[in-house]
Amino acid sequence: MTQLDISNEGAQFLDADGMKRKYLEERDKRLQVDRNKFLKLSGKYAHLADDPHVETRIDRDAVLEEVETVVVGGGFSGLLAAASLRKVGAENIRIIEKAGDFGGTWYWNRYPGVRCDVESYTYLPLLEEVGYMPTEKYATGEEIWKYCQMLGRHFDLYKDSYFQTEITSIRWEEADSRWHIRTDRDDLIKTRYLLLGTGPLNHAKLPDIPGIEEFEGHLFHTNRWDYAYSGGDQRGDLSNLRDKRIAMVGTGATGIQCMPIVAKDAQHLYVVQRTPSAVDARGNRPTDAEWFKSLPEGWQQERMHNFDAILAGLPVEENLIADQWSEFWGGISDVVEASGGDPELMKSMLDAQDLEQMERIRRRTQEIVKDPAVAEALKPYYGRFCKRPTFNDEYLESFNRPNVELIDTEGRGLDKITKNAIVVGDTEYPVDCIVFATGFEFLAGTKKEGGFDIVGPQGRSFTEHWAGEIRSLHGIMTKGFPNLFMIGALHQAAVSINFPYILGEQAMHAAALVKRFTDMGIEVAEASQRAEAEWVDAVKLRSGYDEEAARSCTPGAYNNENTYDKPGVFESRWTGDPNEYIEILRDWRETALEGDLEVKRSQGSRNR
C-alpha cells in the first residue's frame, strides 16, 4: 500500500492507491449516464435566450455600408479588439452585438451573487489606462459590467456599435475582397477585416430531463435570472421566494455563487448535485485605496504575468497575488525543483501534491458542514485539474441552514420532472420553481455560439473547415479565411485562468497586423499552409495533454464530458506558460510575419 504524507497534518496518512481507486469509482458512476442531451432554446424555451435587460427594441433603419474593420461581439474579446484598433489609429470600425450593451458574459449573467473568481486587479483589463480602482479584491458581476461600459466610453466605442443586432451570415466575396455580413436587421455590412470575439461561453445548456415539458411551475436558467419572479437584485433580498420551494440544479461555479443568496430567502431550497465541486476559501476584502495608489507604473502587466507564471509552474521571486488559486493549483515549481528534473520522481511528487490538495479541500468540507452525511456527499473525489475549482465563503456554510437540503444524485442528475416536482430515484420533491445552474456548452463553435457560420472564398464554412482537424496559426488566423482574426478562440492558443490577459494580447496582435497590412498596402492576407502546419506541429510537440489522465477524470467541460467526440480545450491548446505564448506573438510580428503569410497587395503599393 502506497502511503502519502499529508504535510500540513504531519501524522495523518492517506492510502494513495485506495484514493485513486475511489476516484475511478466516482468517475465510472457518471460514465453510465448520457448527460449530453440538451433542449434547444426555442419554442417553449425561447424566452431563455431572450434579452430580459432591455425594455424596448432599438428602432433603426437597415444599413448598407462598407467599413474597414468589423468586430463581432461586445464582451471583453470585442471590447479589447476594438480598443486595440483605436490605439493603432483605426477609426472606421463597426462593432456588432446581439445584447443591448457591452459586457458579454457580464451583461447576460446577472444572477444573485455573481462575482469573478480571479482577483479584479488582475482580471479587469486596462485598469491603469482607464484609471479605475476596483472596489474589492473580487469584483461583483455588476461592477464588472459597469466597467465594460466604462471601457466602451473610454475608447469612444458606442458611436460605432450596433446593439440588439444578430448576425445571420458572413461570407467572403472575391469580387471585392471583402467579408459580407448580413444581420437580422436586414443590414449588409462589407468589411476588409473581421475580428471575431463571440466568446466560448454563451450557449446555455438546458438539460433534456424526462418530463421537463410537463412542469407547470416556474423555470429559468441562471444565464437569464428572472427577478420578476424572485424579487430583489444581484445583491439579494429575493423576497418573492419566501413562500416558495426552489430546486437549484447544478453545483458548478454558478450554482455555488448564487445558492447562498437564494438560501437566505427561499422557504425551502433543494440543491441538486451530480458532481460536487472543490470549494476553497475566497477571502474577499475591500480594496485598500492607499495600497492601490502606491502601485508603480506597469503594475498590472507585472501582476498578470506573475499570476500566470505561478499557475504554469514557473518559479517567481514573489507571489504578488497570494490567493487560493496559487495554493490550490500552484506549487508545481517546487516539485520541479525538488525532483531534480527526474520525470518519474516528478510525476510521483505531483500526484502526491494533487492528493494533498484535494484532501485539504475534503477536510475543509467536513469541518464546515455539520451533518456528516451531507459533508461526505459534498466531498470531491477526483484530481485537482479535472474541474475548475471554486472559491466561496458561504456555500458550504449554507448547508447548515434548516431550509437547505442537498439532493445528491450519485452522478445521475435528475431522473424525472413531473408537473409539480423533481424526482430522484423513487422520491418526489414538490417544488414551485426550478432554477437551472447548468452552465454553457463549452467551445460550441460560431454556428451555435453566434447563430451564424462563416463561409470562406471556396464556399467552405468554418464549421466544415475545422471538422476534421483544427488548424491555425497561433489560434488566431487560419488558411482559407483571409483577413480574419479569432480573439479568444482557445484552440491552439494559450489558455489562462485569467481569460482577459490572453484576450488582450490576441487583440493587440490582430490590431497590430491590421495596422501593418494597411501601412504595407496589403489588401488580403491569410496564413500560409506551411506556417499553419508548423504551428500545428509545434502545438502537438509542446502539448502536455495526457489522454489517460483526462479519461481518469470525472466527466466535465475540460474533457468533453469524457466523450471525446470533439477536441477538448486542453487537448488542442498550446501548452505552456501563457507568457511564453505572448512573447511568441510579439517576436513573430517582428521577424516572421511576411514569410508566414500569403498576401495580395493593392496596385501601386510597395513593401514598406
Side-chain angles (χ1 to χ4, degrees), residues 107-393:
Y107 175 91
W108 296 111
N109 288 275
R110 304 192 200 183
Y111 55 83
V114 60
R115 192 182 291 269
C116 188
D117 62 2
V118 174
E119 66 150 29
S120 53
Y121 321 123
T122 303
Y123 181 80
L124 296 178
L126 305 175
L127 284 174
E128 288 185 81
E129 189 162 339
V130 175
Y132 180 73
M133 183 190 80
T135 62
E136 299 176 281
K137 184 174 177 67
Y138 298 97
T140 64
E142 183 177 19
E143 182 174 359
I144 298 172
W145 176 52
K146 289 180 178 178
Y147 183 71
C148 290
Q149 294 174 305
M150 191 180 298
L151 286 174
R153 292 190 297 270
H154 184 86
F155 292 100
D156 197 20
L157 301 177
Y158 277 95
K159 68 181 177 63
D160 293 321
S161 301
Y162 289 150
F163 295 112
Q164 297 183 27
T165 300
E166 294 193 51
I167 293 172
T168 55
S169 70
I170 301 180
R171 179 179 293 271
W172 178 266
E173 296 293 347
E174 292 279 19
D176 58 3
S177 297
R178 297 289 187 276
W179 289 104
H180 286 210
I181 302 171
R182 297 185 182 276
T183 77
D184 64 346
R185 300 295 196 115
D186 293 326
D187 301 318
L188 173 56
I189 304 168
K190 303 177 183 180
T191 184
R192 183 190 305 276
Y193 301 110
L194 180 65
L195 275 62
L196 196 65
T198 53
L201 295 173
N202 57 33
H203 195 268
K205 295 193 297 188
L206 181 64
D208 187 3
I209 300 167
I212 186 172
E213 295 188 353
E214 307 303 318
F215 184 62
E216 296 178 357
H218 202 69
L219 176 155
F220 58 90
H221 193 282
T222 51
N223 186 45
R224 301 289 193 274
W225 190 274
D226 190 346
Y227 284 105
Y229 181 84
S230 70
D233 55 27
Q234 293 178 52
R235 290 175 287 273
D237 191 25
L238 311 180
S239 57
N240 293 352
L241 302 184
R242 289 171 188 167
D243 62 348
K244 301 292 191 300
R245 299 160 299 179
I246 309 298
M248 180 165 290
V249 181
T251 55
T254 297
I256 282 169
Q257 287 189 337
C258 65
M259 178 276 228
I261 311 297
V262 176
K264 292 175 183 177
D265 285 302
Q267 180 192 89
H268 197 85
L269 174 62
Y270 297 105
V271 181
V272 181
Q273 172 182 275
R274 286 185 325 192
T275 303
S277 286
V279 185
D280 209 342
R282 182 190 293 277
N284 193 25
R285 58 184 180 271
T287 300
D288 182 332
E290 292 304 314
W291 165 79
F292 196 81
K293 288 177 185 177
S294 72
L295 294 171
E297 183 178 352
W299 68 267
Q300 191 179 32
Q301 192 70 21
E302 180 184 7
R303 204 170 180 89
M304 291 189 293
H305 187 284
N306 181 264
F307 180 73
D308 270 291
I310 292 169
L311 294 193
L314 300 180
V316 297
E317 291 185 6
E318 180 184 4
N319 182 345
L320 297 177
I321 316 300
D323 66 354
Q324 289 305 107
W325 274 110
S326 53
E327 168 72 14
F328 189 67
W329 268 14
I332 298 174
S333 63
D334 296 335
V335 168
V336 173
E337 182 179 356
S339 68
D342 182 296
E344 291 188 10
L345 179 58
M346 188 184 304
K347 183 179 186 308
S348 175
M349 293 178 70
L350 285 172
D351 286 347
Q353 187 183 71
D354 187 292
L355 285 169
E356 285 179 11
Q357 285 296 334
M358 292 304 293
E359 184 63 14
R360 179 180 66 83
I361 294 295
R362 289 188 286 266
R363 284 200 307 273
R364 179 175 185 269
T365 303
Q366 187 167 313
E367 290 165 1
I368 292 173
V369 180
K370 295 178 180 178
D371 186 318
V374 175
E376 185 60 33
L378 288 167
K379 292 179 182 179
Y381 286 98
Y382 45 78
R384 62 175 163 159
F385 296 111
C386 287
K387 287 182 177 292
R388 186 182 178 108
T390 63
F391 307 91
N392 197 286
D393 297 328

Side-chain angles (χ1 to χ4, degrees), residues 452-469:
F452 60 87
D453 214 335
I454 302 172
V455 179
Q458 308 302 318
R460 192 180 193 201
S461 73
F462 203 94
T463 301
E464 294 169 333
H465 180 68
W466 270 12
E469 180 187 17

Side-chain angles (χ1 to χ4, degrees), residues 307-574:
F307 180 73
D308 270 291
I310 292 169
L311 294 193
L314 300 180
V316 297
E317 291 185 6
E318 180 184 4
N319 182 345
L320 297 177
I321 316 300
D323 66 354
Q324 289 305 107
W325 274 110
S326 53
E327 168 72 14
F328 189 67
W329 268 14
I332 298 174
S333 63
D334 296 335
V335 168
V336 173
E337 182 179 356
S339 68
D342 182 296
E344 291 188 10
L345 179 58
M346 188 184 304
K347 183 179 186 308
S348 175
M349 293 178 70
L350 285 172
D351 286 347
Q353 187 183 71
D354 187 292
L355 285 169
E356 285 179 11
Q357 285 296 334
M358 292 304 293
E359 184 63 14
R360 179 180 66 83
I361 294 295
R362 289 188 286 266
R363 284 200 307 273
R364 179 175 185 269
T365 303
Q366 187 167 313
E367 290 165 1
I368 292 173
V369 180
K370 295 178 180 178
D371 186 318
V374 175
E376 185 60 33
L378 288 167
K379 292 179 182 179
Y381 286 98
Y382 45 78
R384 62 175 163 159
F385 296 111
C386 287
K387 287 182 177 292
R388 186 182 178 108
T390 63
F391 307 91
N392 197 286
D393 297 328
E394 296 180 278
Y395 176 74
L396 294 174
E397 290 82 350
S398 295
F399 285 100
N400 296 328
R401 299 178 64 97
N403 66 324
V404 175
E405 183 175 347
L406 176 68
I407 301 177
D408 181 32
T409 66
E410 294 279 335
R412 297 197 316 274
L414 289 178
D415 292 315
K416 185 180 178 183
I417 295 175
T418 69
K419 66 179 182 178
N420 61 3
I422 57 173
V423 180
V424 177
D426 297 326
T427 305
E428 285 195 9
Y429 302 87
V431 295
D432 301 296
C433 175
I434 304 175
V435 179
F436 285 95
T438 44
F440 303 85
E441 187 169 347
F442 200 41
L443 298 175
T446 60
K447 191 169 185 179
K448 184 171 285 188
E449 287 171 351
F452 60 87
D453 214 335
I454 302 172
V455 179
Q458 308 302 318
R460 192 180 193 201
S461 73
F462 203 94
T463 301
E464 294 169 333
H465 180 68
W466 270 12
E469 180 187 17
I470 294 173
R471 305 181 299 281
S472 74
L473 177 58
H474 306 135
I476 297 173
M477 303 179 72
T478 189
K479 171 72 174 171
F481 294 83
N483 293 3
L484 182 147
F485 306 92
M486 295 171 284
I487 312 299
L490 298 184
H491 287 303
Q492 296 185 343
V495 175
S496 171
I497 290 299
N498 184 26
F499 199 42
Y501 183 35
I502 298 299
L503 296 180
E505 293 293 338
Q506 290 180 327
M508 284 191 285
H509 182 74
L513 294 185
V514 167
K515 170 69 171 170
R516 289 275 291 278
F517 295 165
T518 301
D519 291 348
M520 297 169 67
I522 294 175
E523 287 279 330
V524 179
E526 61 182 293
S528 70
Q529 189 168 343
R530 174 195 56 78
E532 191 178 67
E534 288 177 356
W535 181 251
V536 170
D537 288 342
V539 169
K540 291 178 179 178
L541 183 65
R542 286 292 305 274
S543 176
Y545 177 70
D546 185 335
E547 183 171 328
E548 181 181 353
R551 288 185 180 275
S552 70
C553 283
T554 190
Y558 287 175
N559 62 6
N560 289 329
E561 301 291 345
N562 233 316
T563 60
Y564 301 89
D565 57 343
K566 62 180 179 180
V569 62
F570 291 114
E571 182 179 357
S572 62
R573 75 169 177 138
W574 185 91

